[in-house]
C-alpha cells in the first residue's frame, strides 16, 4: 500500500523559501507570479493492506514526526 | 489561476532524507514502512487566466528553475 503525504505551511506563516523562488522567477522574466508557497511531499511504502488502517497509521506518523503541526498542515492520500 | 508543482527524485536516485525519515519512523515504533521518498510541492498564484497557457508557463518555470531535470521529475497541475 502506498501513501502520499502533503505537508504545507499554514496560511499566514512566513515562507522565505517561497519568497526566494518568487523573486528568482521574476529575475528570469516570468511575470504575473503572485504568492509562491513551498511544501513537502512524502511518499511511503507500507506493508499495511487495509486503506483505513494505513490512513490512520500515516496520520499518526504525521502527528509524531512528519509535520510540525504548530505551523504546518498535512493531508494524507492512500492508494 | 493556481498551479501546483510536484518535484520528486527520479527512481534510482539516492534519497538520504527519505532514508532518514524511514529510520526515524522505525525508531518511533512504526513497523512495516518500506521505502520513503521525499519531494517538494510548489504552489503558485498566477495572473494568467488561461489554463493551457498557465500550464505551459509553469512547465517552462520547472525546466528553468523549479526542478533539476537531471535527477528530478516534475508534474504540473493547474486549477
Amino acid at each position: 500500500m502506498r501513501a502520499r503525504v502533503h505537508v504545507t505551511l499554514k496560511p499566514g506563516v512566513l515562507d522565505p523559501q517561497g519568497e526566494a523562488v518568487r523573486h528568482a522567477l521574476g529575475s528570469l522574466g516570468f511575470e504575473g507570479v503572485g504568492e509562491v508557497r513551498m511544501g513537502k511531499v512524502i511518499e511511503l511504502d507500507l506493508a499495511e493492506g487495509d486503506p483505513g488502517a494505513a490512513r490512520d497509521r500515516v496520520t499518526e506518523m504525521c502527528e509524531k514526526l512528519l509535520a510540525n503541526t504548530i505551523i504546518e498542515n498535512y493531508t494524507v492520500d492512500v492508494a
Side-chain angles (χ1 to χ4, degrees), chain A:
Chain A
M1 184 125 261
R2 228 177 145 70
R4 187 181 241 204
V5 177
H6 280 98
V7 180
T8 50
L9 284 172
K10 288 187 177 175
V13 177
L14 213 66
D15 183 357
Q17 199 184 355
E19 212 32 36
V21 167
R22 197 173 71 83
H23 280 288
L25 287 171
S27 308
L28 288 172
F30 291 103
E31 281 162 27
V33 180
E35 202 183 20
V36 178
R37 304 284 285 176
M38 301 285 297
K40 284 175 284 184
V41 211
I42 306 155
E43 290 173 337
L44 305 115
D45 277 327
L46 302 169
E48 180 63 61
D50 175 63
R55 176 181 298 276
D56 291 350
R57 212 70 209 286
V58 174
T59 302
E60 205 186 328
M61 292 176 193
C62 288
E63 291 289 335
K64 286 202 181 155
L65 179 76
L66 302 178
N68 174 352
T69 54
I70 313 281
I71 56 165
E72 292 171 331
N73 288 326
Y74 62 85
T75 57
V76 177
D77 297 300
V78 172

